[in-house]
Amino acid sequence: MQRTLRLKREIQMLTTHPPPCISCWLEEPDKFHLKAQIIGCEGTPYENGVFSIDIILPDRYPFEPPLLQFKTPIYHPNIDSNGRICLDILKSPPQGSWKPSLNISSVLTSLQLLMNEPNPDDPLMADIVGFLDYIVGFLVSVIYSQVQLSIYKINLPDDLKPVTSCCPKCL
Amino acid sequence: MEKLLPLDCASSKFDGFVCVNGKPFRVHIVKPSGSLQQAKFSCDWKLQNLLKKHLPLLQKRLTQCKNLEDFIDEVQTLASHSPVAAAEKKLSNIGSYGTIIQHIEELGWEFLNDISDDFTQIQLKVCDSNERVHMLSLSFDANYPQTSPKVSSTLPFSFVPLWASGSSLSTLCSQFKTTLLLYERFWDEVEELKYNTWILEPECPNFSATTFRIALGSSCSMHLKVDPLHPEVLPECQFLGADWAISPYRVKFQAKFEDWNETLSIFQNLKNLLEIDFPHKPHDGSQSVSLQCGICYAYRLETDIPDQICNERRCGQAFHHQCLLEWIQTIPGTKQSFNILFGECPYCTKPIKLPILHK
């Protein structure tokens, strides 16, 4: 009941006032399945990358957090190779801090922030954190190459394709 | 037995009459064994017509009744209460139809809005001087035009016509128009409020509504009870919402209510007293977020409206009772004392309390 009411309103909000660099739409309305795309922010290793995310709203949404999964491979200490995300607001209390005051839009914005500011204290991918701790400069270039890889792996529509295929730091 | 006559010595067959609305109907009962369990009841088609809606009930009664006499009494009561009998009784006098048509003719057919199939109920359409259309429903009985028809209308107080011999529909209509004049100023005021403010309750005020709930801002509103005959005097006012949101209005109202100006409209007076620009009803149906439930994002959840409000002054978020209950029962750390749950507001994390039982 609440899930249907909320989804209707949230889609309306996402359509009229989408968060910057994020688009989100309803993929399969009957299954409460949404899809989102986050465009990597300028000045980060993910710049110009378009990252697809699957969103499923569980039955008890908004009393339970939405289920998010990266569909585009991403090199990030808090996101594993299957696209699972380690973010406290995506878990119910007491482990996590999901609240019904959050919504799809705010979760996606947090995810964008997590991409920009990785959280090495709560790692999902220990090896990446190892890099992060010791060879930050090297890590940046590794991530860049991953982004370039992911850009070419997925088939983007023409208008979403990055204008620059190469960046100054990428060799 | 008074009403039934046994037809044979074994007293297994009976004949008799049942009297409904003064008319006798012949009935016949066959009772093979001593008990009433297998008894058969038959009657002529006129009585069948009267009883047809009560058949299942009648069958039950036949097996329940102790003796035949009780059963016949039962048949008589059911038949006289049937709607068919009532309708027959209503306009048994055929002359009434003629009178009704004659009176409508006299009044003018343009006033007639609706008429029922059996001609016992009509609806008249009367305009007041401000072009507002009022409906006056009349229902006639057999005594018309000696007695007044039953009238019903949507007015703040019910309209009771003065009926004398020689009265007709046109006298009734002019009386109704005079009554409408009494409320004109009141309706003008309501229209101004409707146009300039957001009336939360009733959703679509009709002509009989005298209490209104008006939105003052996010999560606060005021309840107005207006006297329809004296709309110019200070109405009964009550403020609803989170304490921090309404207390400034309450203070202003208490300080200045003596300045209520009877020559100004209610809307103007409220505007001056509360020093406020009333929020308007959103046109596209997208209500401002604070008026919706913070959990399901809707204003109405079935019939429930968001009436649980966070008391933190910077929050003031409203929730449906049902939504907030489900959330604070989900999270650990919620405490219960008697029938009240103590949890956290999902928006500002400040303590919020919630009675388990709603209203």
Side-chain angles (χ1 to χ4, degrees):
Chain A
M1 180 73 199
Q2 278 97 337
R3 179 169 67 156
T4 320
L5 287 170
R6 237 185 101 136
L7 181 66
K8 191 177 146 212
R9 183 89 181 98
E10 286 207 40
I11 288 296
Q12 196 185 339
M13 276 161 46
L14 284 164
T15 324
T16 51
H17 306 287
C21 294
I22 293 173
S23 64
C24 183
W25 64 94
L26 203 53
E27 187 82 355
E28 294 166 276
D30 343 353
K31 290 181 185 162
F32 295 90
H33 177 200
L34 293 94
K35 279 219 163 194
Q37 282 183 332
I38 299 181
I39 298 166
C41 288
E42 259 180 48
T44 70
Y46 307 105
E47 188 176 339
N48 290 334
V50 178
F51 297 87
S52 292
I53 297 151
D54 255 359
I55 306 167
I56 306 271
L57 302 184
D59 287 344
R60 286 194 66 234
Y61 182 83
F63 303 102
E64 264 175 24
L67 306 167
L68 268 72
Q69 193 181 24
F70 268 90
K71 284 291 155 188
T72 312
I74 179 168
Y75 196 72
H76 191 283
N78 309 108
I79 300 161
D80 76 2
S81 47
N82 289 324
R84 285 175 297 200
I85 305 153
C86 182
L87 186 63
D88 61 341
I89 59 162
L90 293 179
K91 293 190 195 91
S92 290
Q95 293 88 16
S97 58
W98 164 259
K99 282 190 276 179
S101 53
L102 298 166
N103 55 29
I104 297 167
S105 163
S106 58
V107 162
L108 288 172
T109 314
S110 307
L111 208 55
Q112 199 181 29
L113 208 66
L114 182 73
M115 282 164 68
N116 301 350
E117 308 269 340
N119 178 11
D121 300 333
D122 190 13
L124 205 57
M125 304 291 277
D127 49 346
I128 304 181
V129 179
F131 278 124
L132 198 72
D133 278 352
Y134 299 111
I135 344 164
V136 177
F138 179 64
L139 172 78
V140 168
S141 61
V142 171
I143 295 177
Y144 263 106
S145 58
Q146 289 280 328
V147 171
Q148 297 310 318
L149 257 174
S150 58
I151 287 172
Y152 291 114
K153 258 186 210 165
I154 50 167
N155 286 321
L156 290 173
D158 282 338
D159 52 335
L160 278 177
K161 260 184 194 156
V163 184
T164 50
S165 60
C166 195
C167 56
K169 283 184 194 164
C170 187
L171 302 168
Chain B
M1 281 194 217
E2 294 166 4
K3 295 160 189 160
L4 290 172
L5 197 69
L7 295 182
D8 56 0
C9 324
S11 65
S12 64
K13 284 179 186 169
F14 293 92
D15 236 1
F17 287 96
V18 171
C19 200
V20 181
N21 292 341
K23 282 183 206 157
F25 294 98
R26 190 159 177 191
V27 295
H28 185 70
I29 293 173
V30 182
K31 194 177 70 166
S33 62
S35 77
L36 276 175
Q37 292 291 334
Q38 282 152 0
K40 278 191 182 127
F41 173 79
S42 53
C43 58
D44 71 357
W45 66 271
K46 281 180 189 161
L47 184 60
Q48 258 179 35
N49 197 26
L50 292 181
L51 287 171
K52 68 181 169 195
K53 283 206 173 147
H54 304 294
L55 272 184
L57 187 66
L58 205 62
Q59 250 160 14
K60 216 169 123 196
R61 290 288 160 84
L62 185 60
T63 51
Q64 279 171 353
C65 280
K66 283 185 195 124
N67 54 44
L68 278 177
E69 201 165 353
D70 283 356
F71 177 68
I72 290 299
D73 283 343
E74 204 71 57
V75 170
Q76 200 164 344
T77 338
L78 283 176
S80 49
H81 282 91
S82 96
V84 186
E88 269 183 16
K89 199 178 169 188
K90 230 184 222 168
L91 276 187
S92 53
N93 180 2
I94 201 78
S96 299
Y97 292 112
T99 325
I100 291 169
I101 292 183
Q102 196 190 329
H103 281 178
I104 295 174
E105 192 107 340
E106 199 180 305
L107 179 71
W109 287 94
E110 69 273 15
F111 283 95
L112 190 70
N113 187 55
D114 192 25
I115 192 152
S116 70
D117 293 341
D118 60 355
F119 236 71
T120 54
Q121 282 165 344
I122 65 169
Q123 199 177 41
L124 299 178
K125 195 166 67 180
V126 183
C127 284
D128 66 12
S129 56
N130 262 356
E131 299 296 309
R132 282 179 286 250
V133 179
H134 298 268
M135 294 298 170
L136 181 65
S137 302
L138 305 175
S139 105
F140 300 104
D141 56 22
N143 295 328
Y144 185 82
Q146 276 79 44
T147 59
S148 158
K150 279 197 193 100
V151 291
S152 70
S153 54
T154 43
L155 295 184
F157 298 116
S158 59
F159 164 64
V160 185
L162 295 167
W163 196 263
S165 61
S167 291
S168 69
L169 286 184
S170 45
T171 46
L172 190 125
C173 224
S174 61
Q175 280 176 24
F176 187 64
K177 274 186 182 164
T178 331
T179 317
L180 291 182
L181 282 175
L182 294 174
Y183 302 116
E184 287 222 322
R185 165 135 194 219
F186 169 66
W187 287 322
D188 289 344
E189 300 265 12
V190 174
E191 243 161 49
E192 193 184 11
L193 284 174
K194 216 155 66 174
Y195 187 73
N196 290 300
T197 69
W198 180 0
I199 299 186
L200 297 167
E201 281 172 41
E203 265 182 303
C204 304
N206 62 10
F207 292 118
S208 65
T210 58
T211 53
F212 307 93
R213 192 171 145 206
I214 295 169
L216 292 178
S218 56
S219 71
C220 60
S221 56
M222 77 182 298
H223 215 94
L224 279 183
K225 197 172 178 188
V226 185
D227 182 351
L229 293 173
H230 305 283
E232 68 281 357
V233 300
L234 178 69
E236 268 179 52
C237 298
Q238 199 182 10
F239 293 90
L240 305 165
D243 271 342
W244 56 265
I246 53 167
S247 57
Y249 294 124
R250 200 177 266 156
V251 168
K252 277 180 204 165
F253 188 80
Q254 277 166 358
K256 292 172 75 181
F257 77 90
E258 285 180 2
D259 299 344
W260 186 272
N261 186 342
E262 296 197 355
T263 56
L264 292 177
S265 69
I266 295 178
F267 170 71
Q268 276 301 334
N269 267 312
L270 285 177
K271 210 176 160 180
N272 297 346
L273 244 64
L274 302 174
E275 296 159 2
I276 159 186
D277 281 324
F278 284 97
H280 282 261
K281 188 171 189 165
H283 295 292
D284 52 357
S286 63
Q287 294 138 339
S288 76
V289 173
S290 49
L291 267 163
Q292 299 164 347
C293 167
I295 293 176
C296 69
Y297 284 17
Y299 180 66
R300 267 182 204 280
L301 182 67
E302 282 148 2
T303 55
D304 215 347
I305 58 167
D307 51 3
Q308 303 296 322
I309 290 156
C310 175
N311 250 330
E312 169 62 30
R313 63 187 292 111
R314 282 161 299 175
C315 178
Q317 181 62 50
F319 305 97
H320 290 119
H321 180 268
Q322 192 186 331
C323 295
L324 190 59
L325 184 69
E326 188 166 352
W327 172 245
I328 70 174
Q329 282 177 338
T330 306
I331 49 168
T334 299
K335 290 183 179 64
Q336 183 178 356
S337 168
F338 297 104
N339 277 333
I340 297 189
L341 287 171
F342 293 87
E344 268 180 18
C345 166
Y347 276 72
C348 64
T349 69
K350 290 284 184 294
I352 192 165
K353 62 179 183 195
L354 178 76
I356 291 176
L357 298 171
H358 194 29
K359 279 162 194 171

